Short mmCIF file of all heavy atoms in Angstrom, two decimals:
data_model
loop_
_atom_site.label_atom_id
_atom_site.label_comp_id
_atom_site.label_asym_id
_atom_site.label_seq_id
_atom_site.Cartn_x
_atom_site.Cartn_y
_atom_site.Cartn_z
N GLY B 31 -5.63 14.49 -22.64
CA GLY B 31 -5.63 14.08 -21.24
C GLY B 31 -7.00 13.60 -20.80
O GLY B 31 -7.11 12.71 -19.96
N ALA B 32 -8.05 14.21 -21.37
CA ALA B 32 -9.41 13.80 -21.00
C ALA B 32 -9.58 12.29 -21.22
O ALA B 32 -10.14 11.59 -20.38
CB ALA B 32 -10.42 14.58 -21.82
N PHE B 33 -9.08 11.81 -22.35
CA PHE B 33 -9.19 10.36 -22.63
C PHE B 33 -8.34 9.57 -21.64
O PHE B 33 -8.76 8.53 -21.15
CB PHE B 33 -8.76 10.07 -24.06
CG PHE B 33 -9.73 10.55 -25.09
CD1 PHE B 33 -9.53 11.75 -25.74
CD2 PHE B 33 -10.87 9.81 -25.38
CE1 PHE B 33 -10.44 12.20 -26.68
CE2 PHE B 33 -11.78 10.25 -26.32
CZ PHE B 33 -11.56 11.46 -26.98
N ALA B 34 -7.12 10.06 -21.38
CA ALA B 34 -6.23 9.32 -20.49
C ALA B 34 -6.84 9.19 -19.10
O ALA B 34 -6.80 8.11 -18.50
CB ALA B 34 -4.87 10.03 -20.39
N VAL B 35 -7.43 10.28 -18.60
CA VAL B 35 -8.03 10.23 -17.26
C VAL B 35 -9.23 9.29 -17.25
O VAL B 35 -9.39 8.48 -16.34
CB VAL B 35 -8.41 11.65 -16.80
CG1 VAL B 35 -9.30 11.60 -15.57
CG2 VAL B 35 -7.15 12.44 -16.48
N LEU B 36 -10.07 9.38 -18.28
CA LEU B 36 -11.25 8.51 -18.32
C LEU B 36 -10.85 7.04 -18.43
O LEU B 36 -11.54 6.16 -17.92
CB LEU B 36 -12.15 8.88 -19.50
CG LEU B 36 -12.91 10.19 -19.34
CD1 LEU B 36 -13.64 10.54 -20.62
CD2 LEU B 36 -13.89 10.10 -18.18
N ARG B 37 -9.74 6.77 -19.08
CA ARG B 37 -9.30 5.37 -19.25
C ARG B 37 -8.42 4.92 -18.09
O ARG B 37 -7.82 3.86 -18.15
CB ARG B 37 -8.53 5.23 -20.57
CG ARG B 37 -9.37 5.57 -21.78
CD ARG B 37 -8.53 5.54 -23.03
NE ARG B 37 -8.15 4.19 -23.36
CZ ARG B 37 -7.08 3.88 -24.07
NH1 ARG B 37 -6.26 4.82 -24.49
NH2 ARG B 37 -6.80 2.63 -24.34
N ARG B 38 -8.36 5.72 -17.04
CA ARG B 38 -7.56 5.42 -15.86
C ARG B 38 -6.10 5.21 -16.21
O ARG B 38 -5.43 4.34 -15.70
CB ARG B 38 -8.12 4.18 -15.14
CG ARG B 38 -9.62 4.22 -15.00
CD ARG B 38 -10.09 3.41 -13.86
NE ARG B 38 -9.56 3.95 -12.63
CZ ARG B 38 -9.86 3.47 -11.43
NH1 ARG B 38 -10.67 2.45 -11.34
NH2 ARG B 38 -9.36 4.00 -10.35
N GLN B 39 -5.62 6.04 -17.12
CA GLN B 39 -4.21 5.97 -17.52
C GLN B 39 -3.50 7.26 -17.11
O GLN B 39 -2.53 7.65 -17.74
CB GLN B 39 -4.10 5.82 -19.03
CG GLN B 39 -4.49 4.46 -19.54
CD GLN B 39 -4.23 4.34 -21.02
OE1 GLN B 39 -4.21 5.34 -21.73
NE2 GLN B 39 -4.05 3.13 -21.49
N SER B 40 -4.01 7.91 -16.05
CA SER B 40 -3.46 9.21 -15.68
C SER B 40 -1.95 9.15 -15.52
O SER B 40 -1.22 9.99 -16.02
CB SER B 40 -4.06 9.67 -14.36
OG SER B 40 -5.45 9.70 -14.46
N LEU B 41 -1.48 8.12 -14.79
CA LEU B 41 -0.06 8.11 -14.45
C LEU B 41 0.81 7.65 -15.61
O LEU B 41 2.02 7.80 -15.59
CB LEU B 41 0.16 7.25 -13.21
CG LEU B 41 -0.51 7.88 -11.98
CD1 LEU B 41 -0.47 6.96 -10.80
CD2 LEU B 41 0.15 9.21 -11.63
N LEU B 42 0.16 7.10 -16.67
CA LEU B 42 0.92 6.76 -17.86
C LEU B 42 1.54 8.04 -18.45
O LEU B 42 2.68 8.02 -18.94
CB LEU B 42 0.03 6.07 -18.89
CG LEU B 42 0.72 5.57 -20.14
CD1 LEU B 42 1.74 4.50 -19.79
CD2 LEU B 42 -0.28 5.02 -21.15
N GLY B 43 0.79 9.14 -18.37
CA GLY B 43 1.30 10.42 -18.85
C GLY B 43 2.58 10.80 -18.12
O GLY B 43 3.53 11.30 -18.71
N ASP B 44 2.58 10.55 -16.81
CA ASP B 44 3.75 10.82 -16.00
C ASP B 44 4.94 10.00 -16.49
O ASP B 44 6.05 10.53 -16.67
CB ASP B 44 3.43 10.45 -14.54
CG ASP B 44 4.39 11.09 -13.56
OD1 ASP B 44 4.96 12.13 -13.90
OD2 ASP B 44 4.54 10.54 -12.47
N ALA B 45 4.69 8.73 -16.73
CA ALA B 45 5.78 7.85 -17.20
C ALA B 45 6.28 8.29 -18.57
O ALA B 45 7.49 8.36 -18.80
CB ALA B 45 5.29 6.41 -17.25
N ILE B 46 5.36 8.61 -19.48
CA ILE B 46 5.76 8.99 -20.83
C ILE B 46 6.62 10.25 -20.80
O ILE B 46 7.67 10.32 -21.45
CB ILE B 46 4.52 9.22 -21.74
CG1 ILE B 46 3.80 7.90 -21.98
CG2 ILE B 46 4.94 9.84 -23.07
CD1 ILE B 46 2.49 8.05 -22.72
N SER B 47 6.19 11.24 -20.01
CA SER B 47 6.94 12.50 -20.04
C SER B 47 8.34 12.32 -19.44
O SER B 47 9.30 12.89 -19.94
CB SER B 47 6.17 13.62 -19.35
OG SER B 47 5.91 13.28 -18.02
N HIS B 48 8.45 11.53 -18.37
CA HIS B 48 9.78 11.29 -17.81
C HIS B 48 10.64 10.47 -18.78
O HIS B 48 11.83 10.69 -18.92
CB HIS B 48 9.70 10.56 -16.48
CG HIS B 48 9.33 11.45 -15.34
ND1 HIS B 48 8.06 11.87 -15.11
CD2 HIS B 48 10.08 12.03 -14.37
CE1 HIS B 48 8.03 12.65 -14.05
NE2 HIS B 48 9.24 12.77 -13.57
#
Side-chain angles (χ1 to χ4, degrees):
Chain B
F33 289 98
V35 167
L36 288 174
R37 299 174 70 205
R38 315 205 62 177
Q39 287 185 335
S40 304
L41 294 172
L42 184 63
D44 198 25
I46 292 173
S47 59
H48 282 78

